[in-house]
Protein backbone atom coordinates (compact mmCIF):
# COMPACT_ATOMS: atom_id res chain seq x y z
CA UNK A 1 0.00 0.00 0.00
CA UNK A 2 1.24 3.48 -0.76
CA UNK A 3 0.57 6.56 1.32
CA UNK A 4 -1.83 8.92 -0.38
CA UNK A 5 -0.57 12.29 -1.49
CA UNK A 6 -2.84 13.91 1.07
CA UNK A 7 -1.60 11.83 3.97
CA UNK A 8 -0.44 14.71 6.18
CA UNK A 9 -3.88 16.25 5.73
CA UNK A 10 -6.43 14.88 3.25
CA UNK A 11 -7.56 18.36 2.40
CA UNK A 12 -4.14 19.47 1.13
CA UNK A 13 -4.64 17.23 -1.90
CA UNK A 14 -7.77 19.19 -2.74
CA UNK A 15 -5.98 22.48 -3.32
CA UNK A 16 -3.96 23.49 -6.36
CA UNK A 17 -2.60 27.04 -6.31
CA UNK A 18 -5.09 27.87 -3.58
CA UNK A 19 -8.10 26.60 -5.54
CA UNK A 20 -10.30 23.87 -4.08
CA UNK A 21 -10.47 21.12 -6.71
CA UNK A 22 -12.20 18.47 -4.56
CA UNK A 23 -15.89 18.17 -3.87
CA UNK A 24 -17.20 17.85 -0.33
CA UNK A 25 -17.76 14.12 -0.95
CA UNK A 26 -14.16 13.67 -2.10
CA UNK A 27 -12.91 15.48 0.99
CA UNK A 28 -14.98 13.10 3.11
CA UNK A 29 -13.60 10.09 1.23
CA UNK A 30 -10.03 11.24 1.75
CA UNK A 31 -10.64 11.96 5.42
CA UNK A 32 -12.05 8.44 5.96
CA UNK A 33 -8.95 6.95 4.35
CA UNK A 34 -6.63 8.86 6.66
CA UNK A 35 -8.62 8.87 9.88
CA UNK A 36 -10.01 5.33 9.82
CA UNK A 37 -8.65 2.99 7.14
CA UNK A 38 -4.97 3.82 7.65
CA UNK A 39 -4.97 5.15 11.21
CA UNK A 40 -2.76 3.60 13.89
CA UNK A 41 -4.60 0.63 15.39
CA UNK A 42 -6.35 0.43 18.73
CA UNK A 43 -4.31 -1.37 21.38
CA UNK A 44 -5.74 -3.84 23.90
CA UNK A 45 -5.12 -3.19 27.59
CA UNK A 46 -3.12 -6.41 27.82
CA UNK A 47 -0.42 -6.46 25.15
CA UNK A 48 1.37 -9.59 26.38
CA UNK A 49 2.53 -12.03 23.75
CA UNK A 50 0.24 -15.04 23.73
CA UNK A 51 -0.61 -17.19 20.73
CA UNK A 52 -4.36 -17.03 20.08
CA UNK A 53 -6.34 -20.11 20.98
CA UNK A 54 -9.78 -18.88 21.94
CA UNK A 55 -12.21 -20.87 19.78
CA UNK A 56 -15.47 -21.73 21.52
CA UNK A 57 -16.31 -25.35 22.25
CA UNK A 58 -19.14 -26.64 20.05
CA UNK A 59 -20.50 -30.05 19.16
CA UNK A 60 -21.85 -29.06 15.77
CA UNK A 61 -21.85 -30.47 12.26
CA UNK A 62 -21.45 -26.89 11.03
CA UNK A 63 -17.70 -27.27 11.64
CA UNK A 64 -15.29 -29.84 10.22
CA UNK A 65 -11.74 -30.67 11.20
CA UNK A 66 -8.95 -30.94 8.66
CA UNK A 67 -8.92 -34.71 9.16
CA UNK A 68 -12.60 -34.77 8.20
CA UNK A 69 -12.32 -32.56 5.12
CA UNK A 70 -8.88 -33.57 3.86
CA UNK A 71 -6.07 -31.42 2.52
CA UNK A 72 -5.51 -32.36 -1.11
CA UNK A 73 -7.01 -30.93 -4.28
CA UNK A 74 -10.69 -30.15 -3.89
CA UNK A 75 -10.56 -29.61 -0.12
CA UNK A 76 -12.61 -26.42 -0.53
CA UNK A 77 -15.57 -28.55 -1.66
CA UNK A 78 -15.32 -30.83 1.38
CA UNK A 79 -15.01 -28.25 4.17
CA UNK A 80 -18.11 -27.09 6.03
CA UNK A 81 -19.04 -24.05 3.98
CA UNK A 82 -21.67 -21.57 2.95
CA UNK A 83 -20.32 -19.46 0.11
CA UNK A 84 -23.38 -17.18 0.18
CA UNK A 85 -23.66 -16.74 3.96
CA UNK A 86 -23.11 -12.98 4.09
CA UNK A 87 -25.79 -10.72 2.66
CA UNK A 88 -23.21 -8.51 0.98
CA UNK A 89 -23.54 -7.98 -2.78
CA UNK A 90 -20.53 -8.87 -4.89
CA UNK A 91 -20.59 -5.34 -6.28
CA UNK A 92 -19.80 -4.03 -2.80
CA UNK A 93 -17.07 -6.43 -1.63
CA UNK A 94 -15.66 -9.93 -1.65
CA UNK A 95 -15.31 -11.49 1.79
CA UNK A 96 -14.35 -14.89 3.19
CA UNK A 97 -14.39 -15.68 6.91
CA UNK A 98 -13.01 -18.90 8.40
CA UNK A 99 -14.69 -19.39 11.78
CA UNK A 100 -13.10 -21.69 14.40
CA UNK A 101 -14.65 -24.03 16.97
CA UNK A 102 -13.19 -26.66 19.26
CA UNK A 103 -15.23 -29.76 18.40
CA UNK A 104 -15.13 -33.22 20.01
CA UNK A 105 -13.02 -34.31 17.01
CA UNK A 106 -10.55 -31.43 17.29
CA UNK A 107 -10.21 -27.90 15.97
CA UNK A 108 -12.95 -27.39 13.39
CA UNK A 109 -13.78 -24.70 10.87
CA UNK A 110 -16.68 -23.36 8.86
CA UNK A 111 -16.04 -21.32 5.73
CA UNK A 112 -18.34 -18.39 5.01
CA UNK A 113 -18.36 -16.03 2.03
CA UNK A 114 -20.65 -13.72 0.08
CA UNK A 115 -22.18 -14.28 -3.35
CA UNK A 116 -19.72 -17.09 -4.21
CA UNK A 117 -16.87 -14.59 -4.52
CA UNK A 118 -14.33 -16.64 -2.53
CA UNK A 119 -12.19 -17.70 -5.52
CA UNK A 120 -12.41 -14.53 -7.63
CA UNK A 121 -8.93 -13.05 -8.05
CA UNK A 122 -7.91 -9.45 -7.37
CA UNK A 123 -4.80 -7.37 -6.74
CA UNK A 124 -3.97 -7.87 -3.05
CA UNK A 125 -1.76 -4.78 -2.78
CA UNK A 126 0.15 -4.70 0.51
CA UNK A 127 -1.96 -7.36 2.23
CA UNK A 128 0.28 -9.90 0.49
CA UNK A 129 3.33 -8.64 2.36
CA UNK A 130 2.41 -11.16 5.05
CA UNK A 131 3.25 -13.91 2.55
CA UNK A 132 6.66 -12.39 1.79
CA UNK A 133 7.57 -12.27 5.49
CA UNK A 134 6.29 -15.78 6.15
CA UNK A 135 8.14 -17.17 3.15
CA UNK A 136 11.44 -15.73 4.37
CA UNK A 137 10.92 -16.93 7.95
CA UNK A 138 9.95 -20.44 6.87
CA UNK A 139 13.12 -20.80 4.82
CA UNK A 140 15.31 -19.65 7.74
CA UNK A 141 15.83 -22.86 9.67
CA UNK A 142 17.47 -21.88 13.00
CA UNK A 143 14.40 -20.05 14.29
CA UNK A 144 14.13 -16.44 15.37
CA UNK A 145 14.22 -14.54 18.64
CA UNK A 146 13.69 -11.03 19.95
CA UNK A 147 17.37 -10.26 19.39
CA UNK A 148 17.62 -11.62 15.83
CA UNK A 149 19.41 -9.14 13.59
CA UNK A 150 19.24 -8.85 9.80
CA UNK A 151 22.61 -7.31 9.13
CA UNK A 152 22.56 -4.57 11.76
CA UNK A 153 18.78 -4.14 11.83
CA UNK A 154 16.45 -5.92 14.22
CA UNK A 155 14.25 -8.43 12.44
CA UNK A 156 11.42 -7.32 14.74
CA UNK A 157 11.78 -3.73 13.55
CA UNK A 158 11.61 -4.79 9.92
CA UNK A 159 8.45 -6.85 10.51
CA UNK A 160 6.84 -4.05 12.51
CA UNK A 161 7.73 -1.38 9.96
CA UNK A 162 6.08 -3.40 7.18
CA UNK A 163 2.78 -3.37 9.09
CA UNK A 164 2.87 0.07 10.71
CA UNK A 165 4.41 2.07 7.85
CA UNK A 166 6.36 3.86 10.57
CA UNK A 167 9.98 3.95 11.67
CA UNK A 168 10.99 1.21 14.08
CA UNK A 169 14.55 1.52 15.30
CA UNK A 170 16.67 1.92 12.18
CA UNK A 171 13.95 0.41 9.98
CA UNK A 172 12.79 3.49 8.12
CA UNK A 173 9.10 2.74 7.50
CA UNK A 174 9.63 1.94 3.82
CA UNK A 175 7.23 -1.00 3.90
CA UNK A 176 7.55 -1.61 0.15
CA UNK A 177 11.33 -1.92 0.19
CA UNK A 178 11.39 -4.13 3.29
CA UNK A 179 8.67 -6.48 1.98
CA UNK A 180 10.51 -6.75 -1.35
CA UNK A 181 13.62 -7.83 0.57
CA UNK A 182 11.64 -10.61 2.28
CA UNK A 183 10.24 -11.74 -1.07
CA UNK A 184 13.76 -11.70 -2.49
CA UNK A 185 14.86 -14.00 0.36
CA UNK A 186 11.95 -16.41 -0.06
CA UNK A 187 11.92 -16.52 -3.87
CA UNK A 188 8.80 -16.20 -5.98
CA UNK A 189 8.67 -19.80 -7.19
CA UNK A 190 8.56 -20.91 -3.56
CA UNK A 191 5.95 -18.30 -2.59
CA UNK A 192 3.76 -19.24 -5.54
CA UNK A 193 3.95 -22.97 -4.90
CA UNK A 194 2.88 -22.48 -1.29
CA UNK A 195 -0.54 -21.65 -2.71
CA UNK A 196 -0.59 -24.80 -4.81
CA UNK A 197 0.87 -28.32 -4.61
CA UNK A 198 3.49 -27.47 -1.96
CA UNK A 199 0.94 -26.51 0.69
CA UNK A 200 -2.52 -24.97 0.22
CA UNK A 201 -3.87 -26.44 -3.05
CA UNK A 202 -5.79 -23.24 -3.78
CA UNK A 203 -8.63 -24.01 -6.22
CA UNK A 204 -7.87 -21.05 -8.50
CA UNK A 205 -4.79 -21.80 -10.62
CA UNK A 206 -4.29 -18.08 -11.30
CA UNK A 207 -3.34 -17.33 -7.69
CA UNK A 208 0.38 -16.63 -7.42
CA UNK A 209 3.11 -14.39 -6.01
CA UNK A 210 5.39 -13.22 -8.82
CA UNK A 211 5.79 -9.50 -8.16
CA UNK A 212 7.33 -6.98 -5.80
CA UNK A 213 6.45 -3.66 -4.21
CA UNK A 214 8.16 -1.05 -6.31
CA UNK A 215 11.65 -0.90 -7.81
CA UNK A 216 13.71 -0.71 -4.60
CA UNK A 217 14.52 -3.39 -2.05
CA UNK A 218 15.90 -3.01 1.45
CA UNK A 219 19.54 -4.13 1.42
CA UNK A 220 20.92 -5.16 4.84
CA UNK A 221 24.43 -4.20 5.85
CA UNK A 222 25.41 -7.86 5.53
CA UNK A 223 23.71 -11.12 4.59
CA UNK A 224 24.11 -12.46 8.13
CA UNK A 225 21.10 -13.12 10.36
CA UNK A 226 22.45 -13.34 13.91
CA UNK A 227 21.13 -14.04 17.40
CA UNK A 228 23.19 -13.91 20.57
CA UNK A 229 20.49 -15.65 22.60
CA UNK A 230 20.30 -18.57 20.15
CA UNK A 231 24.03 -18.53 19.36
CA UNK A 232 23.91 -18.39 15.58
CA UNK A 233 25.19 -16.27 12.73
CA UNK A 234 23.96 -17.51 9.36
CA UNK A 235 24.22 -16.00 5.89
CA UNK A 236 20.84 -15.56 4.20
CA UNK A 237 21.03 -15.20 0.44
CA UNK A 238 18.66 -12.87 -1.37
CA UNK A 239 18.17 -11.37 -4.81
CA UNK A 240 19.34 -7.76 -4.97
CA UNK A 241 16.27 -6.77 -7.00
CA UNK A 242 12.95 -8.44 -7.76
CA UNK A 243 13.66 -8.89 -11.49
CA UNK A 244 16.83 -10.85 -10.59
CA UNK A 245 14.57 -13.67 -9.37
CA UNK A 246 13.86 -16.15 -12.22
CA UNK A 247 10.33 -16.48 -10.79
CA UNK A 248 9.59 -12.76 -11.11
CA UNK A 249 6.99 -11.46 -13.57
CA UNK A 250 6.34 -7.92 -14.69
CA UNK A 251 2.96 -6.52 -13.67
CA UNK A 252 1.43 -6.78 -17.14
CA UNK A 253 3.20 -9.94 -18.27
CA UNK A 254 1.62 -11.94 -21.10
CA UNK A 255 -0.05 -14.30 -18.63
CA UNK A 256 -0.88 -11.75 -15.94
CA UNK A 257 -4.08 -10.11 -17.13
CA UNK A 258 -5.61 -7.13 -15.40
CA UNK A 259 -4.94 -8.45 -11.89
CA UNK A 260 -1.17 -8.28 -12.31
CA UNK A 261 1.65 -10.48 -11.10
CA UNK A 262 0.43 -11.48 -7.61
CA UNK A 263 -3.33 -12.11 -7.93
CA UNK A 264 -5.02 -13.65 -4.92
CA UNK A 265 -8.52 -14.42 -3.71
CA UNK A 266 -10.19 -13.99 -0.35
CA UNK A 267 -10.15 -17.78 0.12
CA UNK A 268 -6.44 -18.05 -0.74
CA UNK A 269 -5.42 -15.21 1.57
CA UNK A 270 -7.64 -16.30 4.45
CA UNK A 271 -6.56 -19.94 4.19
CA UNK A 272 -2.89 -18.91 4.16
CA UNK A 273 -3.27 -16.96 7.41
CA UNK A 274 -5.61 -19.51 8.99
CA UNK A 275 -3.03 -22.27 8.58
CA UNK A 276 -0.39 -20.10 10.22
CA UNK A 277 -2.68 -19.21 13.11
CA UNK A 278 -3.74 -22.79 13.77
CA UNK A 279 -0.05 -23.70 13.66
CA UNK A 280 0.85 -26.36 16.16
CA UNK A 281 -2.82 -26.88 17.05
CA UNK A 282 -3.30 -28.48 13.62
CA UNK A 283 -0.07 -30.22 12.57
CA UNK A 284 -1.68 -31.60 9.39
CA UNK A 285 -1.60 -28.15 7.80
CA UNK A 286 1.38 -26.57 9.56
CA UNK A 287 3.80 -24.85 7.18
CA UNK A 288 7.15 -26.71 7.17
CA UNK A 289 9.90 -24.55 8.64
CA UNK A 290 7.44 -22.18 10.34
CA UNK A 291 7.17 -22.75 14.09
CA UNK A 292 5.81 -20.81 17.05
CA UNK A 293 8.88 -18.58 17.24
CA UNK A 294 8.22 -17.50 13.65
CA UNK A 295 4.51 -17.00 14.36
CA UNK A 296 5.28 -14.90 17.42
CA UNK A 297 7.64 -12.77 15.34
CA UNK A 298 4.97 -12.26 12.68
CA UNK A 299 2.22 -11.38 15.16
CA UNK A 300 4.06 -9.39 17.83
CA UNK A 301 7.64 -8.83 16.65
CA UNK A 302 9.10 -9.18 20.17
CA UNK A 303 12.15 -6.97 20.48
CA UNK A 304 10.82 -4.22 18.24
CA UNK A 305 12.04 -0.76 19.20
CA UNK A 306 9.23 1.37 17.82
CA UNK A 307 8.24 4.21 20.11
CA UNK A 308 4.88 4.60 18.34
CA UNK A 309 3.08 2.17 20.65
CA UNK A 310 3.39 -1.01 22.66
CA UNK A 311 2.47 -3.29 19.79
CA UNK A 312 4.59 -4.65 16.94
CA UNK A 313 4.24 -7.07 14.04
CA UNK A 314 0.72 -7.69 12.73
CA UNK A 315 -0.65 -6.20 15.94
CA UNK A 316 0.69 -2.86 14.73
CA UNK A 317 -1.11 -3.21 11.40
CA UNK A 318 -2.87 0.06 10.67
CA UNK A 319 -6.64 0.45 10.48
CA UNK A 320 -9.62 0.89 12.82
CA UNK A 321 -12.44 -0.58 10.75
CA UNK A 322 -12.55 -4.17 12.00
CA UNK A 323 -12.37 -3.20 15.67
CA UNK A 324 -15.16 -0.67 15.11
CA UNK A 325 -17.40 -3.27 13.47
CA UNK A 326 -16.84 -5.91 16.16
CA UNK A 327 -17.38 -3.50 19.05
CA UNK A 328 -20.54 -2.07 17.46
CA UNK A 329 -21.92 -5.58 17.00
CA UNK A 330 -21.15 -6.75 20.53
CA UNK A 331 -22.21 -3.54 22.27
CA UNK A 332 -24.73 -1.75 20.06
CA UNK A 333 -25.33 1.84 21.11
CA UNK A 334 -22.21 1.99 23.30
CA UNK A 335 -20.51 5.31 22.51
CA UNK A 336 -17.17 4.46 24.10
CA UNK A 337 -14.08 3.84 21.99
CA UNK A 338 -14.00 0.31 20.49
CA UNK A 339 -10.86 -0.67 22.40
CA UNK A 340 -12.56 0.22 25.71
CA UNK A 341 -15.57 -1.93 24.80
CA UNK A 342 -13.40 -4.86 23.73
CA UNK A 343 -11.17 -4.53 26.81
CA UNK A 344 -14.23 -4.82 29.06
CA UNK A 345 -15.58 -7.86 27.21
CA UNK A 346 -12.29 -9.78 27.08
CA UNK A 347 -10.35 -8.62 30.16
CA UNK A 348 -8.10 -6.70 27.78
CA UNK A 349 -6.95 -9.80 25.90
CA UNK A 350 -8.70 -9.27 22.56
CA UNK A 351 -6.46 -9.52 19.52
CA UNK A 352 -6.74 -8.18 15.98
CA UNK A 353 -3.76 -9.05 13.80
CA UNK A 354 -4.15 -7.32 10.46
CA UNK A 355 -2.56 -6.16 7.22
CA UNK A 356 -4.23 -3.78 4.82
CA UNK A 357 -3.50 -2.86 1.23
CA UNK A 358 -4.91 -0.18 -1.02
CA UNK A 359 -4.39 1.95 -4.08
CA UNK A 360 -5.93 3.50 -7.17
CA UNK A 361 -5.44 1.21 -10.18
CA UNK A 362 -5.03 2.82 -13.58
CA UNK A 363 -5.00 -0.71 -15.05
CA UNK A 364 -8.46 -1.50 -13.73
CA UNK A 365 -9.74 2.10 -13.47
CA UNK A 366 -10.80 1.75 -9.85
CA UNK A 367 -9.89 2.45 -6.24
CA UNK A 368 -9.24 -0.72 -4.23
CA UNK A 369 -8.83 -1.77 -0.60
CA UNK A 370 -7.91 -5.15 0.94
CA UNK A 371 -7.83 -6.38 4.54
CA UNK A 372 -6.35 -9.65 5.82
CA UNK A 373 -6.88 -10.30 9.54
CA UNK A 374 -7.15 -12.77 12.39
CA UNK A 375 -9.37 -12.08 15.40
CA UNK A 376 -9.36 -13.60 18.88
CA UNK A 377 -12.09 -12.62 21.37
CA UNK A 378 -11.63 -14.52 24.65
CA UNK A 379 -14.73 -14.72 26.88
CA UNK A 380 -17.05 -13.49 24.10
CA UNK A 381 -19.76 -16.12 23.47
CA UNK A 382 -17.48 -18.71 25.02
CA UNK A 383 -14.58 -17.50 22.86
CA UNK A 384 -14.72 -16.42 19.22
CA UNK A 385 -11.82 -16.87 16.82
CA UNK A 386 -11.82 -16.32 13.07
CA UNK A 387 -9.68 -15.36 10.10
CA UNK A 388 -10.92 -13.16 7.29
CA UNK A 389 -10.00 -11.53 4.00
CA UNK A 390 -12.07 -8.81 2.35
CA UNK A 391 -11.61 -6.77 -0.82
CA UNK A 392 -13.57 -3.74 -2.04
CA UNK A 393 -13.38 -1.75 -5.24
CA UNK A 394 -15.15 1.30 -6.68
CA UNK A 395 -14.79 3.15 -10.00
CA UNK A 396 -12.22 5.93 -10.12
CA UNK A 397 -8.45 6.24 -10.30
CA UNK A 398 -7.80 9.00 -7.77
CA UNK A 399 -7.12 8.96 -4.06
CA UNK A 400 -10.73 9.76 -3.24
CA UNK A 401 -11.79 6.52 -4.95
CA UNK A 402 -9.58 4.60 -2.52
CA UNK A 403 -11.37 6.33 0.32
CA UNK A 404 -14.73 5.33 -1.15
CA UNK A 405 -13.55 1.73 -1.42
CA UNK A 406 -12.54 1.89 2.25
CA UNK A 407 -16.02 3.13 3.14
CA UNK A 408 -17.54 0.23 1.19
CA UNK A 409 -15.29 -2.11 3.17
CA UNK A 410 -16.45 -0.58 6.45
CA UNK A 411 -20.06 -1.22 5.44
CA UNK A 412 -19.17 -4.82 4.54
CA UNK A 413 -17.44 -5.40 7.87
CA UNK A 414 -20.35 -3.88 9.78
CA UNK A 415 -22.79 -6.21 8.08
CA UNK A 416 -20.66 -9.35 8.09
CA UNK A 417 -19.56 -9.06 11.74
CA UNK A 418 -23.21 -8.63 12.75
CA UNK A 419 -24.12 -11.79 10.84
CA UNK A 420 -21.12 -13.82 11.99
CA UNK A 421 -21.39 -13.02 15.70
CA UNK A 422 -25.13 -13.75 15.71
CA UNK A 423 -24.40 -17.41 14.86
Amino acid sequence: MRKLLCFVSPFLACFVAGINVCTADEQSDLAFYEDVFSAAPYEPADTSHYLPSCARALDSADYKTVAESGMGAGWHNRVAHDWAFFNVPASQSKITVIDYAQTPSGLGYRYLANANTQSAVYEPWSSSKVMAIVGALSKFEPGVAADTLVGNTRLADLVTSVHSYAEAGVADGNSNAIATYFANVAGRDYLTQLFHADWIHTPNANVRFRGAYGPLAFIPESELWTSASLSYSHPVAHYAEGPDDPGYQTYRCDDCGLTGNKPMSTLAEAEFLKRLMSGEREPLTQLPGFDNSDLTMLLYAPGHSSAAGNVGGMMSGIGLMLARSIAATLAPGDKREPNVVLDELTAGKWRIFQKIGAGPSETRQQGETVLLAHVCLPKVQGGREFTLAVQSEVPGINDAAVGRAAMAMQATLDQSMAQLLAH
Side-chain angles (χ1 to χ4, degrees):
M1 188 194 76
R2 67 186 186 89
K3 295 291 188 181
L4 298 185
L5 297 176
C6 57
F7 210 74
V8 174
S9 170
F11 304 104
L12 293 181
C14 295
F15 290 89
V16 177
I19 301 173
N20 189 350
V21 297
C22 283
T23 66
D25 286 344
E26 288 174 325
Q27 292 175 15
S28 177
D29 296 338
L30 292 166
F32 187 87
Y33 181 97
E34 178 181 355
D35 297 338
V36 181
F37 181 78
S38 55
Y42 297 113
E43 291 187 19
D46 180 350
T47 57
S48 59
H49 298 171
Y50 78 93
L51 295 180
S53 179
C54 58
R56 58 183 174 170
L58 282 180
D59 186 357
S60 171
D62 291 339
Y63 297 79
K64 284 187 178 181
T65 66
V66 173
E68 291 167 336
S69 60
M71 299 176 296
W75 61 265
H76 62 291
N77 294 319
R78 300 187 296 269
V79 297
H81 64 272
D82 183 347
W83 302 128
F85 177 84
F86 297 112
N87 297 327
V88 175
S91 59
Q92 178 175 301
S93 299
K94 306 173 186 69
I95 183 168
T96 294
V97 174
I98 306 173
D99 189 29
Y100 297 45
Q102 193 64 45
T103 77
S105 300
L107 187 60
Y109 312 92
R110 60 172 179 159
Y111 288 68
L112 310 171
N114 73 305
N116 291 281
T117 61
Q118 70 279 357
S119 290
V121 294
Y122 53 80
E123 161 63 66
W125 297 89
S126 290
S127 68
S128 60
K129 291 174 180 175
V130 171
M131 291 74 180
I133 295 170
V134 168
L137 293 180
S138 67
K139 294 190 80 171
F140 183 69
E141 292 300 330
V144 295
D147 66 345
T148 296
L149 296 174
V150 176
N152 296 328
T153 306
R154 294 185 185 186
L155 173 61
D157 286 341
L158 293 173
V159 173
T160 296
S161 201
V162 166
H163 290 90
S164 68
Y165 294 86
E167 292 182 2
V170 297
D172 62 3
N174 190 337
S175 177
N176 286 343
I178 297 168
T180 298
Y181 164 73
F182 285 124
N184 289 346
V185 168
R188 288 150 182 86
D189 286 338
Y190 172 70
L191 291 171
T192 295
Q193 284 306 113
L194 287 180
F195 286 98
H196 299 289
D198 285 356
W199 192 34
I200 291 180
H201 296 275
T202 305
N204 192 322
N206 290 320
V207 170
R208 62 189 180 279
F209 191 123
R210 296 290 184 187
Y213 305 98
L216 300 177
F218 166 77
I219 301 295
E221 294 82 355
S222 77
E223 291 192 350
L224 293 178
W225 286 30
T226 60
S227 168
S229 66
L230 298 180
S231 301
Y232 65 69
S233 180
H234 291 289
V236 175
H238 61 89
Y239 297 106
E241 299 177 355
D244 294 338
D245 183 347
Y248 176 85
Q249 292 176 333
T250 59
Y251 195 78
R252 292 302 306 274
C253 72
D254 291 342
D255 299 324
C256 289
L258 292 179
T259 46
N261 53 15
K262 51 183 185 302
M264 296 187 187
S265 66
T266 55
L267 179 59
E269 288 203 87
E271 181 68 14
F272 189 103
L273 184 56
K274 164 245 175 181
R275 293 191 182 199
L276 300 177
M277 299 306 303
S278 58
E280 294 186 357
R281 289 181 286 169
E282 183 46 82
L284 288 174
T285 54
Q286 188 171 19
L287 176 62
F290 193 89
D291 61 19
N292 277 349
S293 71
D294 298 308
L295 181 60
T296 300
M297 180 60 67
L298 174 69
L299 300 183
Y300 296 103
H304 73 91
S305 54
S306 174
N310 295 317
V311 296
M314 286 191 79
M315 249 187 115
S316 67
I318 58 178
L320 305 179
M321 296 188 302
L322 185 52
R324 282 183 163 195
S325 296
I326 294 170
T329 293
L330 296 176
D334 196 320
K335 301 301 182 183
R336 294 176 297 172
E337 287 295 306
N339 59 307
V340 177
V341 173
L342 295 175
D343 282 342
E344 184 175 279
L345 293 172
T346 67
K349 296 184 75 68
W350 60 276
R351 295 290 183 266
I352 294 178
F353 305 101
Q354 61 186 4
K355 184 72 188 78
I356 65 171
S361 169
E362 294 184 2
T363 302
R364 294 173 294 279
Q365 298 286 296
Q366 57 193 23
E368 302 170 350
T369 55
V370 186
L371 171 66
L372 176 63
H374 183 83
V375 176
C376 180
L377 302 171
K379 301 180 181 294
V380 172
Q381 301 172 358
R384 296 304 297 263
E385 184 176 0
F386 52 92
T387 305
L388 66 88
V390 56
Q391 186 262 1
S392 302
E393 59 194 44
V394 301
I397 57 173
N398 57 12
D399 292 343
V402 181
R404 287 196 301 279
M407 295 174 77
M409 180 175 286
Q410 180 73 79
T412 295
L413 290 170
D414 290 347
Q415 187 168 350
S416 59
M417 290 302 99
Q419 286 187 258
L420 175 70
L421 296 173
H423 295 84

